[in-house]
Amino acid sequence: MRYEYINEPTVELRTEQPYVAIPIQVTLKDWAQTTVLLPEIYDWLNKKDIEPSGEPFYRYWCIGSEDAEFSLEVGVPIERMVTGDERVIASFIPGGSYAIAVHQGPPDQLGISLKQLEEWTKKEELDIDKRWEADDEIWNGRFEYYLTDPELEPDLHKWQIEIAFLLMQDDAA
C-alpha cells in the first residue's frame, strides 16, 4: 500500500513518560484556541525552571468534529513528575506498544494520515486502545507529536507530525 502523507507505519514499545498539559474542549471551528496553549505551557515550565524532554503534543481523549467538541490536552513531556496548578495538569503518557507513523505535510491534511494509520492497524490486526461510550469515541492513548518547529520551518509542506496510537495490551510487541 502506498501512503499519501505518512511513512510506512511501525509498532514501537514505549516507556511511561511524565508530562504537563492544559486540557481543553473545542470544536474544529474554534481550533485556533489550541494553538495558543503551547507558548503558555513553555512559559509555565520556564518559570518553574523545568526543562522539556521531548516534542510538544496533542493528546486526544474524545474525538469531535466541526460542531462536536474534542476533549484533548496540549502538552509537553518532562523528565520527572511535577505538581500542576489550577490551569496546568501533570500526568503520564502511558507506556506500552504504539502504532506509529510520521505525517509529512500541512497539518490540515493530518486527517488523511490518521485514517491511513487506523486502516494499517486493522490490516495488521492490531487493536487500538479505544472504546465507545454513547456517541463518544474515547481513546486511552492517541497522540500527535509536533516534530517541526514552525518558527524554524514556515513551509507547511515540510512539517512532520508523529502520530501514535496506544495498542491494547494483547498486541504488545
Side-chain angles (χ1 to χ4, degrees):
M1 176 177 188
R2 184 183 170 284
Y3 297 104
E4 189 170 353
Y5 289 102
I6 61 173
N7 63 334
E8 182 67 30
T10 61
V11 173
E12 185 177 307
L13 184 61
R14 296 189 169 178
T15 59
E16 189 175 75
Q17 171 74 54
Y19 71 88
V20 294
I22 298 176
I24 186 170
Q25 292 189 321
V26 64
T27 65
L28 285 176
K29 291 178 188 175
D30 299 319
W31 200 255
Q33 293 177 27
T34 66
T35 60
V36 299
L37 298 178
L38 272 177
E40 184 179 343
I41 294 168
Y42 281 113
D43 185 52
W44 187 91
L45 289 169
N46 195 35
K47 287 178 180 171
K48 297 197 174 283
D49 201 27
I50 301 169
E51 288 291 321
S53 65
E55 306 301 332
F57 63 85
Y58 284 17
R59 179 180 191 174
Y60 295 86
W61 289 99
C62 185
I63 304 303
S65 65
E66 273 302 308
D67 300 309
E69 287 185 334
F70 286 79
S71 178
L72 70 141
E73 297 168 3
V74 177
V76 175
I78 55 175
E79 277 297 315
R80 297 173 182 256
M81 196 62 178
V82 297
T83 303
D85 59 26
E86 63 280 349
R87 177 107 168 117
V88 175
I89 64 164
S91 190
F92 283 95
I93 296 168
S97 293
Y98 284 83
I100 306 285
V102 176
H103 167 84
Q104 171 109 20
D108 66 354
Q109 299 299 312
L110 192 58
I112 296 167
S113 297
L114 291 163
K115 185 175 183 197
Q116 289 175 341
L117 184 57
E118 279 198 74
E119 289 170 356
W120 179 84
T121 62
K122 287 177 186 167
K123 183 183 86 158
E124 296 295 317
E125 299 179 355
L126 301 170
D127 292 323
I128 298 171
D129 194 349
K130 66 178 180 174
R131 67 187 187 285
W132 285 90
E133 285 184 12
D135 292 333
D136 295 326
E137 186 178 23
I138 311 294
W139 291 70
N140 285 330
R142 178 175 170 156
F143 295 87
E144 295 168 6
Y145 294 91
Y146 288 80
L147 307 178
T148 305
D149 183 339
E151 291 181 12
L152 301 176
E153 181 53 72
D155 184 351
L156 296 177
H157 295 281
K158 294 182 180 177
W159 280 24
Q160 292 189 326
I161 303 166
E162 181 187 82
I163 307 164
F165 295 161
L166 181 63
L167 300 173
M168 296 296 286
Q169 288 293 15
D170 292 347
D171 291 333

